[in-house]
Amino acid sequence: MQNRRILTWTVQATILAALALVAAAPGAAAPDAGRGRHAADAPSTLAEVRAREYKFLISPQRIQPTPEATFREVWHRVQASAARHGFTVTEKPVDPMKIETSTKAYLDTRDQALWSRGYIIRVTTQDADGKPDALASVTVKAIHPDPSRTLATPLAVVGAGKVRLGAEENIGFGPDGQLGDYLEKGASFSVPAGSLAGSTLGDVGRYLPELLRLGLPADTVLMRKPVRSYQVKPGTLVLGGGKPIAITMEGWSTSEGGPPVAYDVSFGYSSAQAFGTSEADRAARRFMVEVLHGADAGLWSADNDRWGGSKVRWLMDRPLPPR
């Protein structure tokens, strides 16, 4: 398992191209010729790429009748497997299995015209004291196959509050059980929940006008794919001698009042310093391969090959493209 061949899908070429441009600039330092060609081994010059997230879909065989039981089952297996492979995983001392709930809806046309044009729209409503919050968080992501185009997508938000913009590298298992990565760039902002009640392209486009320049009418109806989210952050993981990072487990229910039918484990880190640290990435990938994928944990789902660890791809029935 330790010798499993690890591949990247598209990010590597983008980062290496960016490094080449920097090297060619006057006064730029030459790249370290002794480094390998893996993207994780080169300091990132892409200022927009602020984070890495590692995602792993859980085997349906581990799903229990309730979210609480599933989370405990998976967490115990993660802890045991981590200990066997020399990783430090620590459970929170207070309420490690406290569940946070929310409703997420993914918006697209019936034929997924937005996804085909390289966009995902997600609307999240958090629960507060058992009731939906009055504000909805909208996230619009650029997911073009070409990572350079993803990073060049403006995602300029107008007329909304709490705007956040950034790009993230996502790492998950792809075809043949090999690790790969891809880039997403997202803009998140908050709006009154009622302002999106109509669910037309114009409803979202008034906050992100570039959506109205995709060749689709403003009155294009957007279908909602809703899920009920159950999420816990039971503890932390140490990677490469760095600070502990949170481990998250999430389950999605696709029917009103029904139990979750898809679960994942994820973890990640942000900041330019962490992103450029190859030690942390190597440790994270080893955790994915040995601890989560390892046969002794009993967590592997063959769906990882199809969906790349992404519950969104699973929900929208968007398998990974062939290599």
Side-chain angles (χ1 to χ4, degrees):
M1 188 67 68
Q2 293 182 357
N3 294 324
R4 178 178 297 275
R5 189 159 50 100
I6 296 175
L7 299 181
T8 56
W9 296 325
T10 52
V11 177
Q12 183 183 128
T14 300
I15 295 180
L16 290 173
L19 287 170
L21 290 174
V22 171
D32 182 355
R35 289 190 179 273
R37 291 181 56 84
H38 193 285
D41 288 331
S44 173
T45 62
L46 303 176
E48 289 182 279
V49 183
R50 300 174 181 173
R52 280 194 177 106
E53 185 176 18
Y54 303 79
K55 303 176 180 180
F56 182 88
L57 293 174
I58 298 301
S59 168
Q61 295 180 346
R62 301 281 77 84
I63 297 179
Q64 306 297 312
T66 66
E68 294 85 353
T70 301
F71 289 142
R72 291 189 183 279
E73 165 79 7
V74 172
W75 181 238
H76 290 159
R77 288 175 176 271
V78 169
Q79 286 180 300
S81 184
R84 285 192 292 269
H85 293 282
F87 285 90
T88 300
V89 169
T90 305
E91 185 173 293
K92 289 193 306 187
V94 179
D95 291 334
M97 291 295 158
K98 181 181 179 181
I99 296 178
E100 296 182 353
T101 56
S102 64
T103 299
K104 301 179 180 181
Y106 290 83
L107 278 55
D108 207 333
T109 64
R110 190 177 297 277
D111 61 353
Q112 297 188 358
L114 293 179
W115 188 300
S116 298
R117 288 165 170 78
Y119 289 86
I120 294 176
I121 300 175
R122 181 186 69 213
V123 180
T124 303
T125 306
Q126 298 287 346
D127 290 344
D129 298 325
K131 297 181 180 179
D133 197 302
L135 287 178
S137 174
V138 181
T139 299
V140 180
K141 292 185 177 183
I143 54 166
H144 302 290
D146 178 359
S148 298
R149 184 179 176 191
T150 294
L151 291 174
T153 302
L155 297 178
V157 177
V158 297
K162 299 181 180 179
V163 178
R164 300 186 305 278
L165 179 67
E168 177 180 85
E169 183 184 13
N170 291 269
I171 295 93
F173 288 98
D176 303 321
Q178 297 169 343
L179 279 177
D181 42 34
Y182 60 94
L183 285 181
E184 293 180 341
K185 181 178 178 181
S188 297
F189 52 94
S190 296
V191 299
S195 68
L196 300 175
S199 293
T200 66
L201 186 61
D203 291 329
V204 185
R206 64 173 145 170
Y207 301 111
L208 209 148
E210 69 192 73
L211 294 177
L212 302 177
R213 298 191 289 270
L214 299 177
L216 300 171
D219 61 358
T220 298
V221 175
L222 301 181
M223 311 297 294
R224 286 177 172 253
K225 280 253 188 181
V227 296
R228 186 68 171 162
S229 168
Y230 300 81
Q231 186 181 96
V232 298
K233 295 183 178 181
T236 60
L237 163 67
V238 175
L239 294 174
K243 295 181 179 179
I245 60 174
I247 296 177
T248 299
M249 298 187 292
E250 186 180 29
W252 279 3
S253 169
T254 56
S255 60
E256 184 70 28
V261 292
Y263 284 86
D264 72 355
V265 174
S266 65
F267 58 93
Y269 49 83
S270 60
S271 85
Q273 181 179 8
F275 184 88
T277 303
S278 59
E279 184 181 2
D281 183 59
R282 284 196 295 266
R285 290 170 185 261
R286 188 166 69 85
F287 186 87
M288 291 281 283
V289 171
E290 297 179 3
V291 175
L292 298 181
H293 191 313
D296 55 349
L299 297 173
W300 172 256
S301 169
D303 284 346
N304 280 287
D305 287 1
R306 182 172 172 82
W307 311 117
S310 170
K311 297 192 303 301
V312 179
R313 283 189 174 275
W314 164 80
L315 179 72
M316 304 296 283
D317 193 23
R318 283 281 182 168
L320 288 170
R323 285 193 285 112

